[in-house]
Each structure stands twice: as C-alpha cells, then as structure tokens.
Amino acid sequence: MDANEPGLGTNRPASERLEPPDSFVAQANVADPAVYAAFEENWPGAWERAGDLLEWDRPHERVLGAEDGFRWFQGGRLNACYNCVDRHLADRKNQVALAWEGRNGESRTYTYLELYHEVNEFAAALRELGVEEGDVVTMYMPMIPELPVAMLSCARIGAVHSVVYAGFAADALATRMNAADSAYLLTCDGYYRRGDAVLLKNKADTAAVTVDGDVTSVVVDRLDGYDCSLGADEHDYDELVCAHARERVDPVRRRASDDLFIIYTSGTTGTPKKVTHTTGGYLSYVAWTARAVLDIRPEDTYWCSADVGWITGHSYIVYGPLALGTTTVMYEGAPDHPEKTRIWEIIERNAVDIFYTAPTAIRAFMKWGAEYPADYDLSSLRLLGTVGEPINPRAWEWYHEHVGRGECPVVDTWWQTETGGILVSTLPAVSDMKPGTAGPPLPGISVSVVDDRGGIEAREGGYLVVDRPWPGMPQELCEGRRWANRGDDRSPADPTAWTYPTEDGAFVDKDGYVTILGRVDDVINVSGHRFGTMEIESAIVDVEGVAEAAVVSGDHDVHGKAIYAYVSPEDGHERQDALREGIVAAVKESIGPIARPEAIVFTPEMPKTRSGKIMRRLLADIANGEDLGDLSALRNPEVVGEIESTVEER
Ligand code: WT7
C-alpha cells in the first residue's frame, strides 16, 4: 500500500528515541520489562492480572472461554458500580472521587462517600421509574457530574447505558434511541458553550417525536433562571434524588459477559455502528490499562480532557480511573473560554499528576503559544498522554517540552471505540519513546499489518489488524457474527484463526513499534471524532437542488483531518450561496454542528471512472493539493482542472 493514499497521510515519525526518566521509572506501577514475556508465556492466563484489579462476587472459572464465542473471565460475577464506588469506601471514603470544573471557575467535588450516596439515590429513582436489569437508558448530557453518576447508577442495577454526545443533533439521538430500543432518557434543560446557552431539552423534545414508543425522561436543571416545563412522563433529577435520599440499592451481580453499556460510533454505512462493552472484560481491561499505561494510583489527581459522550470519557474519565480509586477531574468548558489559560489553571489548581488529551488540542495550544503554560505551575505533572489521532512529532515535542518540562514521559495511545481501551502504546516506565509512533502493542496484545489479501506486510505499511482477542473486546466481536471477520468465516472459537480488522493503515518498524497512518475506510477523523462519509453524504443529497455529493477527508493543521464536501447541483440550482447554506443546515440538523464541512466545493460533474464510480481518492488528492498523476481511468478528465481551480480559490 502506498502511504500517500487518501486517509493515510504522510506523518512519518522522527527517528529520535527518548528514554523514560529514572525518576519516573522508580515510582511507576509497571516498570519491569518482563511483563511482556509474562504475557507471551502464559496467554491468556496472564490476563488474571487485569481481573485481579477488581473485586468479584464470584471468581471466574476460566480466563477465556471460547466454545460459544469468546467469554472473558467466564463464570465470574461482579458489579461495575460496586467496583468503582463501594469498594473504595473502606480506605478512602473522604477522598475526592470526582473533581468537577465548571465553565466559569465554578467547581463541585464528590468524595467517594458522596458519590456512593448519589449513585444509590439515583439508582433507586431509576428502579422506581421502572428501569430493570438489561433495559437501555439513553443519556444525552453535557459534561456535568450527573452524567457519570447516572452511568454508575445504571451499572448498579444492571441497566445498560447508551450515552449520546450532547453535540449530536436531535435526529442522531432519535436514531440511536430507536436502534437500541431505549425507552428511558436522561437529559438536561441545557448547558453553556462558550458563554451561550445550548437548549438541549429542546433537541431531546424534537427527537422524542420520532422515537418509537413512549419515553420516560429525567431532566437535570443546569441552566440558571431557565424554567423548562416538564411533561407527563418527565421527571426532575433533583426531585427524584431527594425523594430517595439515603436509600440503598444492592449492586446487582452481573455475569462478566453481561453488557455494561452500548455506544454508537460511525462506520462505513449510513447508520451508526453499535458497540457493546462487557461488564467483566471491559472493566478489567480499562482498569489494567489505566494502571499500566496511564500509571494511575489512588492518591493521584488525574485529568482526561475528553468528553464523557465519547469512548475516551467512558473508559478513562469514568470507569478506569474510578475502578482504581483515584481522583478524576471532569471539565465542562472549552479550553479557551473565557481565556486560553483554562487548561493550565485547572492543572495548577488541582495539582494534576497525569494529563491525557488529544493531538488536536495540543496543536491548538501550540498555536496559542508557549507563554500560556509557562505562566502556570505545572510541576505536579508526572505523565502526559495523547489519544484520538496520529500526533505529529512537532506537536509531540512541544507537549513534552512546554507542558511536561521535558521530564514527563508522553504516551501516545492508539485504540478505538471498538477496542474499549488502549491496545498500542509504550509502557511509560519500560519502553523508549519515539515521537510520532504510538509504540508496541501492549503486553498480551498482538497486532499485525497485512496487505489486501491478509498476507503479512509489516514494513511498507498496510492494514492494521488485531490478531488475538483481548478482555476489552466488545460483544460484537465476542460473538463473532455481527461484524464479519476479514476473509472467510473461520470459527471465533479458535483464537488463532481470528483477526479484527481495525480499518487503520499502519506500519511497524524494526523495533516492533506501530505508526498509525490513519483510517483506510470511509471514516473521517476530525479532531479525534469519527464521522462516516456516508452519513454526511446522505444528509447533503437530501438538500433540494443537490444532484450528487461526495465527502472526503482533507488534511488540516489543527484538526488533523477536515471534511471536504464536493457537490454537483441540479440544473437550475446554480445559486451557490443558497445551496451552501442549505447544505450546512442539513448537516447540522442530521448529525450536528461538529460535522460541519470545512469546505463545500461545487462542481458541475463528479469525476467518475468509466464504470460510473465517483473517484473519491482523486477528490481527496485535490483537497490536499497532491499531484494527481494519471487520469486515464476517468470518463470525464476535463472536470478535474475545473475542480482544482475552485479548491485553490478558497
Ligand atoms: C480512530 C478511533 C480511541 C478513543 C478516541 C477515538 C484514531 C486513535 C490514535 C493514536 C493515531 C489514533 C484511529 C482509530 N486514533 N488513537 N494514538 N494515533 N490514530 O476513538 O472515535 O473510535 O476513533 O482514532 O484512526 O481508528 P474512535
């Protein structure tokens, strides 16, 4: 595979290597390189170490059962909420579990004891509303503490949560509620984004119209002085919690393989892809990786700046850190509102030990300037992490130097919604860092890079596949039927004859380090958020006056990738301004403002192959100003020059 193909980019890493500092190694959770061999020699048995981080109501019989699909910690029983809350009460009930930073310097903390109370009270309320074990509760919530509280409350009673990112449109919420057959919704009146109120409940109401069946809602009051009237089956969060004050709900014993939550992500089809994570396997996996890779200890203050609405927030704001009994910070606002000092202020004030963010944020910090972090005392930081997209060496180095004082190791963690937790990263106290390269697969994880036919093709770059099951794998892979495995339909019962195609391009260097090149499917990663080109295209072609649309990804300095929409108007609809507005509005309505195209390029015709297929790869090359090479496969090569000049004029 050519690394210049669309979606792959040319983000070659620097050759420089950095050793982890001795001071870090001396105190790290996992510092012995023998951990890799331990997993190789005893696989899957070594995964006991992850399971041992949790408290089980009944121990497992087998680490990995594989008769009827994969069953991690088969026979084991546990409750995720108990593991994240109750079991820490004995040692640290007065330690802060959740340190919430609001948008205007407002803040709220929950100790483990306070979290325990509120989770029990809300769990009792959910029961009263009729929520039973296995029911799906949708949460359409901004970054406020009630969201993790509600997630844990569901886990306590064995209900399955489905969090829908608050930036998604009403349509997207309705689609997800219908797909999950969810009759319960937690939302709030609204929230503030850069000082403006976003009326979330209005969006939820719009969604409710197209949701099949009746919905019981719980509404959190977040906006000051905004009175949102509640309908028949709508309940006020505070009233419910007060009505159940000091009630206790026994944590339900769940099978290790029972669903903990579902989360939807973008795939290559127009509809969202459902990902279901398990109670025992997932929780063990996020606890293990939070400990081994993020080096989290109970006495730490740890901050991951993601949104809880995405998998990063589920795994590394809520479940992983709380399973380890640490203090996890949750920040409601934007990094530059009201000032570009917010991030550094929060780190200083909370004496944050570990900071985990995305390359897009780091590139924005870089643009704002090193004087911002320099003004703050960041000496509490011990480890830095990044996730979501490839990090270019320049951004890596800036982060290491200006945020980490050149002393904190940086872990570049590769994973996906589907993987539940980190699969590829250096262990910060064990391996050298190479800026721009995620690192080797974690102990117990095996990946390879293959060509189109599944042959091994490590050096030149190819498709990254995971070729061994791991505890954080979702139900869809455990059962091995809903997502087709590459190639034939070998039985999932045989772990050696199994691969999970990640849809990322990658190459592996001589030291076994994996460099991620980016998506190879029709998914665009903008600022670490996934969008399917099909979903965006189908919103655009529904606009009156649009004949055809093709969405591709272009490179972007700060966001990594950007959405480029090429549109050919119907005859009589050449008024581009009106059409442009219509397209922006349609994308906002069906997906959300976050999927707004960076560029909308009009063209009388799409470049097509002789068989009539739109040449998307060519459109991506045009977006990136690449050399287009041979156009002889095109039926209409004459349109290419025209499109190129339109793109250049932008
Ligand atoms: C896609 C998954 C993992 C949680 C956030 C995103 C890209 C993720 C890295 C990294 C290069 C990365 C991949 C992957 N990605 N981490 N460290 N280096 N690329 O989860 O929305 O499921 O997206 O994000 O392309 O496939 P997601």
PDB file of all heavy atoms in Angstrom, residues 265 311-312 386-391 412-418 438 502 504 516 518-519 525 528-530, ligand 1:
ATOM      1  N   THR A 265     -20.894   4.464  17.196  1.00  0.00           N
ATOM      2  CA  THR A 265     -19.811   5.187  16.535  1.00  0.00           C
ATOM      3  C   THR A 265     -20.087   5.186  15.036  1.00  0.00           C
ATOM      4  O   THR A 265     -21.036   4.550  14.574  1.00  0.00           O
ATOM      5  CB  THR A 265     -18.442   4.575  16.894  1.00  0.00           C
ATOM      6  OG1 THR A 265     -17.411   5.418  16.356  1.00  0.00           O
ATOM      7  CG2 THR A 265     -18.272   3.165  16.356  1.00  0.00           C
ATOM      8  N   ILE A 311     -16.055   7.413  23.766  1.00  0.00           N
ATOM      9  CA  ILE A 311     -15.490   6.268  24.480  1.00  0.00           C
ATOM     10  C   ILE A 311     -14.338   6.684  25.406  1.00  0.00           C
ATOM     11  O   ILE A 311     -14.178   6.113  26.483  1.00  0.00           O
ATOM     12  CB  ILE A 311     -15.022   5.157  23.500  1.00  0.00           C
ATOM     13  CG1 ILE A 311     -14.691   3.857  24.251  1.00  0.00           C
ATOM     14  CG2 ILE A 311     -13.817   5.610  22.695  1.00  0.00           C
ATOM     15  CD1 ILE A 311     -15.853   3.122  24.806  1.00  0.00           C
ATOM     16  N   THR A 312     -13.539   7.666  25.006  1.00  0.00           N
ATOM     17  CA  THR A 312     -12.406   8.059  25.851  1.00  0.00           C
ATOM     18  C   THR A 312     -12.890   8.470  27.236  1.00  0.00           C
ATOM     19  O   THR A 312     -12.287   8.122  28.256  1.00  0.00           O
ATOM     20  CB  THR A 312     -11.605   9.209  25.213  1.00  0.00           C
ATOM     21  OG1 THR A 312     -11.329   8.855  23.867  1.00  0.00           O
ATOM     22  CG2 THR A 312     -10.301   9.444  25.939  1.00  0.00           C
ATOM     23  N   THR A 386      -1.650  11.141  24.998  1.00  0.00           N
ATOM     24  CA  THR A 386      -2.449  11.647  23.878  1.00  0.00           C
ATOM     25  C   THR A 386      -3.234  10.491  23.274  1.00  0.00           C
ATOM     26  O   THR A 386      -2.833   9.330  23.356  1.00  0.00           O
ATOM     27  CB  THR A 386      -1.620  12.317  22.750  1.00  0.00           C
ATOM     28  OG1 THR A 386      -1.235  11.323  21.809  1.00  0.00           O
ATOM     29  CG2 THR A 386      -0.415  13.035  23.266  1.00  0.00           C
ATOM     30  N   VAL A 387      -4.339  10.838  22.646  1.00  0.00           N
ATOM     31  CA  VAL A 387      -5.220   9.846  22.034  1.00  0.00           C
ATOM     32  C   VAL A 387      -6.113  10.499  20.988  1.00  0.00           C
ATOM     33  O   VAL A 387      -6.415  11.674  21.069  1.00  0.00           O
ATOM     34  CB  VAL A 387      -6.138   9.188  23.088  1.00  0.00           C
ATOM     35  CG1 VAL A 387      -7.004  10.197  23.822  1.00  0.00           C
ATOM     36  CG2 VAL A 387      -7.028   8.121  22.446  1.00  0.00           C
ATOM     37  N   GLY A 388      -6.513   9.699  20.018  1.00  0.00           N
ATOM     38  CA  GLY A 388      -7.574  10.131  19.103  1.00  0.00           C
ATOM     39  C   GLY A 388      -7.148  10.222  17.663  1.00  0.00           C
ATOM     40  O   GLY A 388      -7.948  10.030  16.760  1.00  0.00           O
ATOM     41  N   GLU A 389      -5.897  10.539  17.407  1.00  0.00           N
ATOM     42  CA  GLU A 389      -5.415  10.696  16.037  1.00  0.00           C
ATOM     43  C   GLU A 389      -3.899  10.636  16.100  1.00  0.00           C
ATOM     44  O   GLU A 389      -3.317  10.736  17.183  1.00  0.00           O
ATOM     45  CB  GLU A 389      -5.872  12.027  15.423  1.00  0.00           C
ATOM     46  CG  GLU A 389      -6.277  12.995  16.459  1.00  0.00           C
ATOM     47  CD  GLU A 389      -6.232  14.455  16.080  1.00  0.00           C
ATOM     48  OE1 GLU A 389      -5.938  14.811  14.926  1.00  0.00           O
ATOM     49  OE2 GLU A 389      -6.446  15.240  16.986  1.00  0.00           O
ATOM     50  N   PRO A 390      -3.283  10.502  14.953  1.00  0.00           N
ATOM     51  CA  PRO A 390      -1.823  10.491  14.965  1.00  0.00           C
ATOM     52  C   PRO A 390      -1.296  11.832  15.476  1.00  0.00           C
ATOM     53  O   PRO A 390      -1.885  12.870  15.197  1.00  0.00           O
ATOM     54  CB  PRO A 390      -1.466  10.311  13.482  1.00  0.00           C
ATOM     55  CG  PRO A 390      -2.686   9.733  12.836  1.00  0.00           C
ATOM     56  CD  PRO A 390      -3.838  10.285  13.608  1.00  0.00           C
ATOM     57  N   ILE A 391      -0.245  11.784  16.260  1.00  0.00           N
ATOM     58  CA  ILE A 391       0.361  13.046  16.708  1.00  0.00           C
ATOM     59  C   ILE A 391       1.646  13.266  15.921  1.00  0.00           C
ATOM     60  O   ILE A 391       2.508  12.395  15.859  1.00  0.00           O
ATOM     61  CB  ILE A 391       0.591  13.079  18.237  1.00  0.00           C
ATOM     62  CG1 ILE A 391       1.208  14.427  18.635  1.00  0.00           C
ATOM     63  CG2 ILE A 391       1.406  11.894  18.764  1.00  0.00           C
ATOM     64  CD1 ILE A 391       1.097  14.749  20.119  1.00  0.00           C
ATOM     65  N   ASP A 412       1.618   7.870  23.670  1.00  0.00           N
ATOM     66  CA  ASP A 412       0.749   8.076  22.506  1.00  0.00           C
ATOM     67  C   ASP A 412      -0.065   6.791  22.397  1.00  0.00           C
ATOM     68  O   ASP A 412       0.458   5.747  22.023  1.00  0.00           O
ATOM     69  CB  ASP A 412       1.640   8.310  21.280  1.00  0.00           C
ATOM     70  CG  ASP A 412       0.873   8.368  19.976  1.00  0.00           C
ATOM     71  OD1 ASP A 412      -0.365   8.220  19.976  1.00  0.00           O
ATOM     72  OD2 ASP A 412       1.542   8.556  18.934  1.00  0.00           O
ATOM     73  N   THR A 413      -1.325   6.868  22.781  1.00  0.00           N
ATOM     74  CA  THR A 413      -2.124   5.660  22.967  1.00  0.00           C
ATOM     75  C   THR A 413      -3.065   5.444  21.796  1.00  0.00           C
ATOM     76  O   THR A 413      -3.926   6.274  21.521  1.00  0.00           O
ATOM     77  CB  THR A 413      -2.956   5.772  24.258  1.00  0.00           C
ATOM     78  OG1 THR A 413      -3.878   6.858  24.139  1.00  0.00           O
ATOM     79  CG2 THR A 413      -2.064   5.999  25.472  1.00  0.00           C
ATOM     80  N   TRP A 414      -2.912   4.323  21.114  1.00  0.00           N
ATOM     81  CA  TRP A 414      -3.817   4.007  19.998  1.00  0.00           C
ATOM     82  C   TRP A 414      -4.894   3.042  20.465  1.00  0.00           C
ATOM     83  O   TRP A 414      -4.586   1.999  21.063  1.00  0.00           O
ATOM     84  CB  TRP A 414      -3.059   3.372  18.827  1.00  0.00           C
ATOM     85  CG  TRP A 414      -4.026   2.961  17.750  1.00  0.00           C
ATOM     86  CD1 TRP A 414      -4.471   3.742  16.718  1.00  0.00           C
ATOM     87  CD2 TRP A 414      -4.704   1.701  17.628  1.00  0.00           C
ATOM     88  NE1 TRP A 414      -5.393   3.047  15.976  1.00  0.00           N
ATOM     89  CE2 TRP A 414      -5.561   1.802  16.506  1.00  0.00           C
ATOM     90  CE3 TRP A 414      -4.690   0.520  18.356  1.00  0.00           C
ATOM     91  CZ2 TRP A 414      -6.376   0.746  16.084  1.00  0.00           C
ATOM     92  CZ3 TRP A 414      -5.516  -0.534  17.954  1.00  0.00           C
ATOM     93  CH2 TRP A 414      -6.338  -0.417  16.814  1.00  0.00           C
ATOM     94  N   TRP A 415      -6.113   3.389  20.168  1.00  0.00           N
ATOM     95  CA  TRP A 415      -7.234   2.497  20.403  1.00  0.00           C
ATOM     96  C   TRP A 415      -8.453   3.039  19.694  1.00  0.00           C
ATOM     97  O   TRP A 415      -8.349   4.015  18.945  1.00  0.00           O
ATOM     98  CB  TRP A 415      -7.465   2.263  21.892  1.00  0.00           C
ATOM     99  CG  TRP A 415      -7.710   3.466  22.762  1.00  0.00           C
ATOM    100  CD1 TRP A 415      -6.815   4.473  23.044  1.00  0.00           C
ATOM    101  CD2 TRP A 415      -8.909   3.785  23.466  1.00  0.00           C
ATOM    102  NE1 TRP A 415      -7.394   5.381  23.894  1.00  0.00           N
ATOM    103  CE2 TRP A 415      -8.680   4.993  24.174  1.00  0.00           C
ATOM    104  CE3 TRP A 415     -10.151   3.176  23.595  1.00  0.00           C
ATOM    105  CZ2 TRP A 415      -9.653   5.598  24.975  1.00  0.00           C
ATOM    106  CZ3 TRP A 415     -11.103   3.769  24.403  1.00  0.00           C
ATOM    107  CH2 TRP A 415     -10.854   4.970  25.073  1.00  0.00           C
ATOM    108  N   GLN A 416      -9.596   2.431  19.901  1.00  0.00           N
ATOM    109  CA  GLN A 416     -10.821   2.790  19.188  1.00  0.00           C
ATOM    110  C   GLN A 416     -12.028   2.550  20.091  1.00  0.00           C
ATOM    111  O   GLN A 416     -11.927   1.811  21.075  1.00  0.00           O
ATOM    112  CB  GLN A 416     -11.021   1.878  17.977  1.00  0.00           C
ATOM    113  CG  GLN A 416      -9.867   1.809  17.014  1.00  0.00           C
ATOM    114  CD  GLN A 416     -10.152   0.848  15.871  1.00  0.00           C
ATOM    115  OE1 GLN A 416     -10.527  -0.303  16.113  1.00  0.00           O
ATOM    116  NE2 GLN A 416      -9.980   1.307  14.651  1.00  0.00           N
ATOM    117  N   THR A 417     -13.160   3.092  19.677  1.00  0.00           N
ATOM    118  CA  THR A 417     -14.415   2.808  20.380  1.00  0.00           C
ATOM    119  C   THR A 417     -14.585   1.291  20.518  1.00  0.00           C
ATOM    120  O   THR A 417     -14.972   0.790  21.578  1.00  0.00           O
ATOM    121  CB  THR A 417     -15.596   3.385  19.574  1.00  0.00           C
ATOM    122  OG1 THR A 417     -15.345   4.774  19.334  1.00  0.00           O
ATOM    123  CG2 THR A 417     -16.905   3.231  20.326  1.00  0.00           C
ATOM    124  N   GLU A 418     -14.281   0.570  19.464  1.00  0.00           N
ATOM    125  CA  GLU A 418     -14.466  -0.874  19.445  1.00  0.00           C
ATOM    126  C   GLU A 418     -13.538  -1.601  20.406  1.00  0.00           C
ATOM    127  O   GLU A 418     -13.877  -2.677  20.900  1.00  0.00           O
ATOM    128  CB  GLU A 418     -14.201  -1.433  18.026  1.00  0.00           C
ATOM    129  CG  GLU A 418     -15.195  -1.013  16.964  1.00  0.00           C
ATOM    130  CD  GLU A 418     -14.860   0.317  16.299  1.00  0.00           C
ATOM    131  OE1 GLU A 418     -14.132   1.136  16.907  1.00  0.00           O
ATOM    132  OE2 GLU A 418     -15.326   0.548  15.171  1.00  0.00           O
ATOM    133  N   ALA A 438       3.119   5.397  17.950  1.00  0.00           N
ATOM    134  CA  ALA A 438       2.385   5.032  19.167  1.00  0.00           C
ATOM    135  C   ALA A 438       3.222   4.107  20.054  1.00  0.00           C
ATOM    136  O   ALA A 438       3.323   4.311  21.257  1.00  0.00           O
ATOM    137  CB  ALA A 438       1.049   4.391  18.811  1.00  0.00           C
ATOM    138  N   THR A 502      -8.969  -3.340  11.966  1.00  0.00           N
ATOM    139  CA  THR A 502      -9.206  -2.059  12.660  1.00  0.00           C
ATOM    140  C   THR A 502      -9.624  -0.942  11.714  1.00  0.00           C
ATOM    141  O   THR A 502     -10.060   0.105  12.166  1.00  0.00           O
ATOM    142  CB  THR A 502      -7.926  -1.588  13.371  1.00  0.00           C
ATOM    143  OG1 THR A 502      -6.966  -1.224  12.366  1.00  0.00           O
ATOM    144  CG2 THR A 502      -7.346  -2.676  14.259  1.00  0.00           C
ATOM    145  N   ASP A 504      -7.551   0.850  10.170  1.00  0.00           N
ATOM    146  CA  ASP A 504      -6.488   1.853  10.175  1.00  0.00           C
ATOM    147  C   ASP A 504      -5.332   1.344   9.318  1.00  0.00           C
ATOM    148  O   ASP A 504      -5.063   0.143   9.281  1.00  0.00           O
ATOM    149  CB  ASP A 504      -5.954   2.097  11.604  1.00  0.00           C
ATOM    150  CG  ASP A 504      -6.703   3.200  12.327  1.00  0.00           C
ATOM    151  OD1 ASP A 504      -7.271   4.077  11.657  1.00  0.00           O
ATOM    152  OD2 ASP A 504      -6.718   3.175  13.566  1.00  0.00           O
ATOM    153  N   ILE A 516       0.701   4.715  13.284  1.00  0.00           N
ATOM    154  CA  ILE A 516      -0.646   4.729  12.707  1.00  0.00           C
ATOM    155  C   ILE A 516      -0.691   5.799  11.617  1.00  0.00           C
ATOM    156  O   ILE A 516      -0.274   6.939  11.841  1.00  0.00           O
ATOM    157  CB  ILE A 516      -1.700   5.072  13.797  1.00  0.00           C
ATOM    158  CG1 ILE A 516      -1.584   4.123  14.996  1.00  0.00           C
ATOM    159  CG2 ILE A 516      -3.105   5.073  13.204  1.00  0.00           C
ATOM    160  CD1 ILE A 516      -1.960   2.693  14.735  1.00  0.00           C
ATOM    161  N   GLY A 518      -3.639   6.366   9.761  1.00  0.00           N
ATOM    162  CA  GLY A 518      -4.984   6.937   9.658  1.00  0.00           C
ATOM    163  C   GLY A 518      -5.966   5.935   9.081  1.00  0.00           C
ATOM    164  O   GLY A 518      -5.599   4.812   8.744  1.00  0.00           O
ATOM    165  N   ARG A 519      -7.211   6.350   8.989  1.00  0.00           N
ATOM    166  CA  ARG A 519      -8.279   5.446   8.555  1.00  0.00           C
ATOM    167  C   ARG A 519      -8.108   5.060   7.092  1.00  0.00           C
ATOM    168  O   ARG A 519      -7.726   5.876   6.261  1.00  0.00           O
ATOM    169  CB  ARG A 519      -9.642   6.124   8.721  1.00  0.00           C
ATOM    170  CG  ARG A 519      -9.975   6.548  10.118  1.00  0.00           C
ATOM    171  CD  ARG A 519     -10.277   5.443  11.068  1.00  0.00           C
ATOM    172  NE  ARG A 519     -11.342   4.564  10.658  1.00  0.00           N
ATOM    173  CZ  ARG A 519     -11.944   3.693  11.473  1.00  0.00           C
ATOM    174  NH1 ARG A 519     -11.578   3.608  12.759  1.00  0.00           N
ATOM    175  NH2 ARG A 519     -12.880   2.889  11.041  1.00  0.00           N
ATOM    176  N   ASN A 525     -11.607  11.265  10.571  1.00  0.00           N
ATOM    177  CA  ASN A 525     -11.319  11.542  11.966  1.00  0.00           C
ATOM    178  C   ASN A 525     -10.989  13.031  12.105  1.00  0.00           C
ATOM    179  O   ASN A 525      -9.887  13.463  11.820  1.00  0.00           O
ATOM    180  CB  ASN A 525     -10.132  10.667  12.378  1.00  0.00           C
ATOM    181  CG  ASN A 525      -9.853  10.735  13.848  1.00  0.00           C
ATOM    182  OD1 ASN A 525     -10.047  11.765  14.487  1.00  0.00           O
ATOM    183  ND2 ASN A 525      -9.395   9.629  14.404  1.00  0.00           N
ATOM    184  N   GLY A 528     -10.174  13.924  16.372  1.00  0.00           N
ATOM    185  CA  GLY A 528     -10.397  12.722  17.168  1.00  0.00           C
ATOM    186  C   GLY A 528     -11.861  12.297  17.225  1.00  0.00           C
ATOM    187  O   GLY A 528     -12.216  11.421  17.998  1.00  0.00           O
ATOM    188  N   HIS A 529     -12.722  12.902  16.421  1.00  0.00           N
ATOM    189  CA  HIS A 529     -14.122  12.472  16.363  1.00  0.00           C
ATOM    190  C   HIS A 529     -14.379  11.814  15.021  1.00  0.00           C
ATOM    191  O   HIS A 529     -13.951  12.306  13.990  1.00  0.00           O
ATOM    192  CB  HIS A 529     -15.077  13.665  16.514  1.00  0.00           C
ATOM    193  CG  HIS A 529     -14.911  14.384  17.810  1.00  0.00           C
ATOM    194  ND1 HIS A 529     -15.263  15.688  17.977  1.00  0.00           N
ATOM    195  CD2 HIS A 529     -14.407  13.966  18.990  1.00  0.00           C
ATOM    196  CE1 HIS A 529     -14.996  16.054  19.225  1.00  0.00           C
ATOM    197  NE2 HIS A 529     -14.464  15.023  19.850  1.00  0.00           N
ATOM    198  N   ARG A 530     -15.094  10.708  15.088  1.00  0.00           N
ATOM    199  CA  ARG A 530     -15.315   9.920  13.880  1.00  0.00           C
ATOM    200  C   ARG A 530     -16.594  10.280  13.153  1.00  0.00           C
ATOM    201  O   ARG A 530     -17.643  10.357  13.763  1.00  0.00           O
ATOM    202  CB  ARG A 530     -15.428   8.461  14.290  1.00  0.00           C
ATOM    203  CG  ARG A 530     -14.200   7.678  14.039  1.00  0.00           C
ATOM    204  CD  ARG A 530     -14.261   6.422  14.840  1.00  0.00           C
ATOM    205  NE  ARG A 530     -15.007   5.385  14.160  1.00  0.00           N
ATOM    206  CZ  ARG A 530     -14.956   4.105  14.543  1.00  0.00           C
ATOM    207  NH1 ARG A 530     -14.224   3.751  15.575  1.00  0.00           N
ATOM    208  NH2 ARG A 530     -15.634   3.200  13.886  1.00  0.00           N
TER     209      ARG A 530
HETATM  210  C1  WT7 B   1      -9.711   6.014  15.488  1.00  0.00           C
HETATM  211  C2  WT7 B   1     -10.717   5.566  16.502  1.00  0.00           C
HETATM  212  C3  WT7 B   1      -9.579   5.927  20.999  1.00  0.00           C
HETATM  213  C4  WT7 B   1     -10.504   6.869  21.512  1.00  0.00           C
HETATM  214  C5  WT7 B   1     -10.719   8.077  20.673  1.00  0.00           C
HETATM  215  C6  WT7 B   1     -11.088   7.797  19.251  1.00  0.00           C
HETATM  216  C7  WT7 B   1      -7.646   7.068  15.517  1.00  0.00           C
HETATM  217  C8  WT7 B   1      -7.000   6.873  17.940  1.00  0.00           C
HETATM  218  C9  WT7 B   1      -4.857   7.179  17.848  1.00  0.00           C
HETATM  219  C10 WT7 B   1      -3.452   7.356  18.019  1.00  0.00           C
HETATM  220  C11 WT7 B   1      -3.265   7.540  15.704  1.00  0.00           C
HETATM  221  C12 WT7 B   1      -5.368   7.220  16.542  1.00  0.00           C
HETATM  222  C13 WT7 B   1      -7.559   5.833  14.659  1.00  0.00           C
HETATM  223  C14 WT7 B   1      -8.687   4.975  15.183  1.00  0.00           C
HETATM  224  N1  WT7 B   1      -6.705   7.037  16.633  1.00  0.00           N
HETATM  225  N2  WT7 B   1      -5.895   6.961  18.676  1.00  0.00           N
HETATM  226  N3  WT7 B   1      -2.871   7.359  19.224  1.00  0.00           N
HETATM  227  N4  WT7 B   1      -2.706   7.517  16.910  1.00  0.00           N
HETATM  228  N5  WT7 B   1      -4.568   7.397  15.467  1.00  0.00           N
HETATM  229  O1  WT7 B   1     -11.938   6.683  19.140  1.00  0.00           O
HETATM  230  O2  WT7 B   1     -13.683   7.615  17.632  1.00  0.00           O
HETATM  231  O3  WT7 B   1     -13.348   5.129  17.836  1.00  0.00           O
HETATM  232  O4  WT7 B   1     -11.677   6.566  16.658  1.00  0.00           O
HETATM  233  O5  WT7 B   1      -8.981   7.115  16.007  1.00  0.00           O
HETATM  234  O6  WT7 B   1      -7.777   6.180  13.335  1.00  0.00           O
HETATM  235  O7  WT7 B   1      -9.170   4.045  14.254  1.00  0.00           O
HETATM  236  P1  WT7 B   1     -12.735   6.474  17.818  1.00  0.00           P
END
